[in-house]
Amino acid sequence: MAGGAARELEAILDAAVDPFIACDADERILHVNAATERLLGWDREQLLGRPVTDLFPPRLHRFHGLSLPRYLLSRRKVLGGRPTRVFARRRDGVELLVELTAGATGVDSQERIVLTMRRLHEVIDSLEEPVEHVPGTPDQTAHHEETVDRLYRLVVENAPLGIFHFDRAPIVTACNDRFAHLIGTSKRNLVGLNLFTLSDERIIACVRESLAGHNCDYEGDYRALTTSKVTPVRVRFAPCYAEDGTVEGGVGIVEDITDRRRVEAEREENLAQLDLLFRGAPVGIGFLDANLRYVRVNETLARINGIPAEAHTGHTLPELLGEPGALAERGPRQVLRTGEPMVNKEATSDEDLRIPGPRRYFLGNYYPVRTPDGRVLGVGVLVEDITERKRAEEERAHLYREAQEAIRVRDDFLSIASHELKTPLTPLSLRLATLERRLERGENLDPSVLRHARHQLTRLTGLINDLLDASRIEAGRLALHPEATRFDLLVEHTLASMEGQKGNHAFEFETPPEPISVQGDAYRLEQVVSNLLENALKYSPDGGTIRVRLSLSEDVAVLSVTDPGIGIPEDQQQQLFDRYFRARNASTRSYGGLGLGLYISRDIVERHGGRIWVESEAGRGSTFYVALPTLSAERPALPLAWPDRHLH
Ligand code: ADP
């Protein structure tokens, strides 16, 4: 063919609307026109010489033992010029539904096969074989197209989505009612709208994208043109292709996502609330996965573990806490093994978990966390630090024991006190009866009877005074009247006043030659000394010598009273100076007493800036010491070096 004629023919073919392909007898491409280039996305130079089957999906390359072009040629007579439906393959792999017709000229090596195709815009997922056109009259074809068109309209109009089409300008060419409703205006106002005049840059960007042949998603709040009503929408923009494969416009599919947004917002709010609850819970909460690695913990659990919350993620308890972690992991491990929850498991920090430092108490609850189908995902952990609660419980128990003890002491005291008060009354009333009888009979009165009666009265007065003093001390109302007092003379005087009571005992008094003066209440100090002497006599039932020694050590006067009596068990020595306390050594029956003398003495001595203590051994006698600052002492310099346990 002469060059000029060939170029003219090429120009004619390029002007044709439908794609056109010519091949040689080996089905290799000799020529394609411009419409083919546009539809399939190839440049013609790239196609020349390639097998024509490259333009079709591999599954359609051979049919009934023939290549696709040969098969189509073999069907020519039957089809009588009608096309066959197949998928063509674009260069980018996208498959397009096309109608294909095949023709041939020449013979043998001169044979030329000519294929013409037409793009179809029907939606067909796949086509496994060439589908020949159903023969029909032109009328029927028109009717079929009309039906398809009507169906499309129905689908578009009833879709629960807004749908609009725009051309390349991009002017809206068609839309459904739903879209008009969403935009808040009429269809008539919308058709003709230039999308580039919209104010939302992102929408314009999506329109451009779709016109460039790409899908594009937009999500945002659309403000209606007329009502200003804001609707959250999602729009999918997609290109629309013309029959020649060029983009002729696009469609937008609009979804009103108000409900979805609301559900999402609600879900987010619920999650936020749960999160707040989780984080702020005063109970430690954590979740361990099936490998017992922490997935998440709240602040309280982080505090209990002493490790920041975020540092837990992905780690096991032993990794985080060492040996205590391994011990604490036993609970969750058991839950994982048995699938059974473990509730109210108490553990102490020191004994159960071997954590050094002051004891803390924990209450653990572990339970399996399952998927709806029952698979165990991991272990939920609830841990509470119940140290405070435990301490309060212990304190309550302690107070309860103390209260019980106080009640017991009171009951004991009442029985002792009534016994003690009654003891002098019987001999007193006997003596008085004797006196009465003698007086009636006009007999001589024996002064010893009166002396004995007076002795009983003194004893009774002493007991009552002790009771009164004890209650004054409790109320902080025991008055002292301190003045410069010769302590050595005071002790001597007290010893002398007790001569009548000493019975089989002997007193031995040792005092330095120089006078010892203290600033004190002479009456109360005498009460202290006589109490020590009375006890020494009382608790040395077999007589013996009571040694009283006064010494001066620096600015401190120290009085000691030593008896050879029953002594005091070591474990009771501290309590001797408590109110109502009577040591085990002194059975109530054998040794009368209210357990108040030393209590009163301690208060008096301490309020003089002094100390009182005891050294004793059961069965080997006792020594009571009283140390008082002397008058010359600028400030009390009491012997601090003396054993603490004796200081009261
Ligand atoms: P009481 O009236 O019982 O003697 P005190 O307060 O004087 O009360 O003494 C308290 C307790 O101390 C006595 O009940 C006794 O058990 C013990 N006690 C006091 N002095 C002596 C002592 N010299 N020898 C042995 N025990 C003593």
Side-chain angles (χ1 to χ4, degrees):
M1 202 188 288
R7 265 199 302 283
E8 194 185 341
L9 181 60
E10 197 174 305
I12 292 169
L13 289 173
D14 279 348
V17 175
D18 290 336
F20 161 94
I21 303 151
C23 324
D24 61 14
D26 295 332
E27 300 165 25
R28 292 194 176 273
I29 297 172
L30 288 175
H31 184 83
V32 297
N33 69 348
T36 309
E37 284 181 310
R38 280 198 300 275
L39 182 66
L40 300 181
W42 293 93
D43 286 341
R44 67 184 71 172
E45 288 74 32
Q46 294 167 319
L47 286 178
L48 297 185
R50 289 177 82 120
V52 72
T53 44
D54 280 2
L55 300 180
F56 301 94
R59 65 178 184 281
L60 297 176
H61 284 187
R62 292 194 76 73
F63 205 71
H64 287 306
L66 299 172
S67 70
L68 182 65
R70 292 280 169 213
Y71 173 73
L72 293 176
L73 289 176
S74 72
R75 299 287 295 163
R76 244 183 326 170
K77 270 211 188 81
V78 185
L79 289 168
R82 283 191 305 275
T84 300
R85 288 185 175 197
V86 294
F87 270 112
R89 223 162 88 102
R90 263 194 352 212
R91 190 179 171 200
D92 57 10
V94 171
E95 296 186 5
L96 308 170
L97 183 66
V98 295
E99 284 183 336
L100 199 62
T101 13
T105 60
V107 285
D108 299 335
S109 61
Q110 290 305 304
E111 189 191 30
R112 299 284 179 264
I113 305 169
V114 178
L115 299 174
T116 47
M117 49 174 87
R118 165 170 294 194
R119 169 97 195 262
L120 287 176
H121 287 278
E122 282 176 35
V123 183
I124 294 177
D125 280 348
S126 166
L127 204 124
E128 300 295 337
E129 55 185 89
V131 176
E132 292 166 2
H133 231 185
V134 190
T137 61
D139 257 11
Q140 275 173 321
T141 313
H143 175 72
H144 171 72
E145 273 169 14
E146 239 172 58
T147 312
V148 169
D149 194 47
R150 215 177 54 243
L151 270 173
Y152 271 122
R153 269 180 198 289
L154 270 174
V155 169
V156 170
E157 280 308 329
N158 291 294
L161 302 163
I163 300 173
F164 61 99
H165 175 267
F166 50 91
D167 62 16
R168 293 200 61 87
I171 305 281
V172 175
T173 54
C175 70
N176 65 358
D177 286 333
R178 175 94 185 132
F179 178 66
H181 178 76
L182 275 173
I183 300 297
T185 183
S186 67
K187 252 180 176 177
R188 197 176 322 145
N189 283 342
L190 281 171
V191 173
L193 174 77
N194 186 332
L195 292 175
F196 283 164
T197 61
L198 293 179
S199 57
D200 193 326
E201 281 300 324
R202 289 190 300 132
I203 292 186
I204 292 175
C206 270
V207 172
R208 281 191 210 288
E209 275 290 290
S210 55
L211 290 177
H214 309 292
N215 289 341
C216 181
D217 287 322
Y218 164 91
E219 190 168 322
D221 293 325
Y222 181 79
R223 183 179 291 276
L225 295 173
T226 46
T227 59
S228 288
K229 182 171 172 259
V230 174
T231 315
V233 291
R234 193 144 104 200
V235 188
R236 156 144 288 210
F237 287 89
C240 287
Y241 294 95
E243 290 202 352
D244 62 1
T246 55
V247 176
E248 52 99 47
V251 285
I253 298 164
V254 189
E255 187 189 355
D256 178 348
I257 55 170
T258 310
D259 286 348
R260 182 148 60 85
R261 279 263 180 95
R262 203 191 58 242
V263 171
E264 270 171 16
E266 274 172 13
R267 201 176 50 217
E268 257 168 41
E269 194 178 323
N270 284 345
L271 280 176
Q273 278 174 357
L274 273 181
D275 197 53
L276 268 181
L277 207 68
F278 175 78
R279 284 206 233 184
V283 177
I285 308 176
F287 176 63
L288 293 163
D289 66 15
N291 295 316
L292 294 176
R293 292 186 182 282
Y294 272 117
V295 176
R296 210 178 154 190
V297 302
N298 71 351
E299 287 303 323
T300 310
L301 189 55
R303 250 196 321 278
I304 289 175
N305 287 344
I307 291 172
E310 41 316 330
H312 283 72
T313 315
H315 294 288
T316 62
L317 271 155
E319 279 169 14
L320 293 168
L321 301 170
E323 191 195 8
L327 293 167
E329 200 185 51
R330 287 179 304 186
R333 194 173 283 286
Q334 184 179 327
V335 170
L336 215 53
R337 200 178 52 243
T338 60
E340 293 295 322
M342 244 171 119
V343 290
N344 293 339
K345 211 70 196 109
E346 276 195 25
T348 56
S349 58
D350 50 350
E351 276 178 16
D352 297 326
L353 302 174
R354 303 211 197 119
I355 301 171
R359 169 176 286 197
R360 288 193 295 156
Y361 295 87
F362 302 110
L363 185 70
N365 280 284
Y366 313 106
Y367 55 92
V369 175
R370 297 175 194 274
T371 55
D373 60 4
R375 199 160 47 86
V376 175
L377 282 180
V379 182
V381 174
L382 293 180
V383 182
E384 214 179 330
D385 185 336
I386 54 166
T387 311
E388 293 293 312
R389 203 196 301 164
K390 275 275 173 191
R391 295 262 149 82
E393 266 171 30
E394 277 173 3
E395 178 70 3
R396 269 203 302 280
H398 179 68
L399 287 176
Y400 178 73
R401 276 196 305 276
E402 274 191 350
Q404 293 288 86
E405 176 65 12
I407 291 169
R408 191 190 61 73
V409 168
R410 188 201 59 194
D411 290 349
D412 283 1
F413 173 73
L414 279 178
S415 91
I416 291 171
S418 40
H419 175 259
E420 283 297 301
L421 290 171
K422 207 173 147 247
T423 310
L425 286 180
T426 317
L428 182 62
S429 102
L430 274 177
R431 309 264 180 234
L432 288 176
T434 312
L435 275 177
E436 191 182 17
R437 215 170 36 243
R438 292 208 174 155
L439 276 173
E440 276 171 4
R441 290 187 201 146
E443 287 175 7
N444 275 345
L445 290 182
D446 180 356
S448 77
V449 177
L450 270 176
R451 205 169 39 245
H452 278 119
R454 205 155 56 80
H455 175 70
Q456 303 302 341
L457 262 181
T458 315
R459 195 172 157 196
L460 209 53
T461 314
L463 288 170
I464 291 169
N465 279 341
D466 276 0
L467 281 170
L468 285 172
D469 283 350
S471 63
R472 282 192 193 112
I473 289 172
E474 277 305 295
R477 283 193 288 108
L478 185 79
L480 289 185
H481 304 287
E483 56 191 349
T485 305
R486 281 282 299 271
F487 193 47
D488 51 339
L489 296 183
L490 183 142
V491 176
E492 209 176 300
H493 172 76
T494 316
L495 275 166
S497 70
M498 296 196 58
E499 277 300 314
Q501 300 176 35
K502 74 177 187 192
N504 294 332
H505 293 87
F507 283 137
E508 202 180 275
F509 182 42
E510 195 184 316
T511 181
E514 68 271 26
I516 298 177
S517 296
V518 297
Q519 178 73 8
D521 182 324
Y523 172 73
R524 291 297 176 187
L525 288 178
E526 197 178 322
Q527 188 179 346
V528 172
V529 178
S530 62
N531 178 244
L532 294 182
L533 292 175
E534 276 165 14
N535 280 349
L537 294 172
K538 185 159 73 176
Y539 297 110
S540 314
D542 307 325
T545 305
I546 314 286
R547 284 174 218 291
V548 181
R549 197 165 163 257
L550 192 57
S551 65
L552 205 54
S553 158
E554 310 243 328
D555 291 337
V556 179
V558 180
L559 171 75
S560 63
V561 178
T562 307
D563 68 60
I566 59 174
I568 303 148
E570 168 108 29
D571 63 325
Q572 314 236 315
Q573 293 177 8
Q574 298 241 31
Q575 293 144 282
L576 290 190
F577 302 87
D578 292 347
R579 192 161 61 137
Y580 308 139
F581 185 82
R582 311 205 68 226
R584 268 198 318 274
N585 60 354
S587 78
T588 329
R589 289 272 157 243
S590 335
Y591 307 94
L594 293 175
L596 288 174
L598 289 178
Y599 168 69
I600 296 167
S601 298
R602 184 187 65 176
D603 187 76
I604 294 170
V605 171
E606 286 183 353
R607 286 178 60 204
H608 278 80
R611 295 278 182 272
I612 183 167
W613 72 98
V614 67
E615 282 175 6
S616 177
E617 211 180 306
R620 300 196 151 212
S622 319
T623 300
F624 281 83
Y625 294 89
V626 170
L628 289 170
T630 59
L631 204 54
S632 57
E634 277 180 15
R635 60 192 166 79
L638 289 168
L640 293 174
W642 293 337
D644 253 7
R645 66 197 173 89
H646 296 309
L647 294 182
H648 288 276

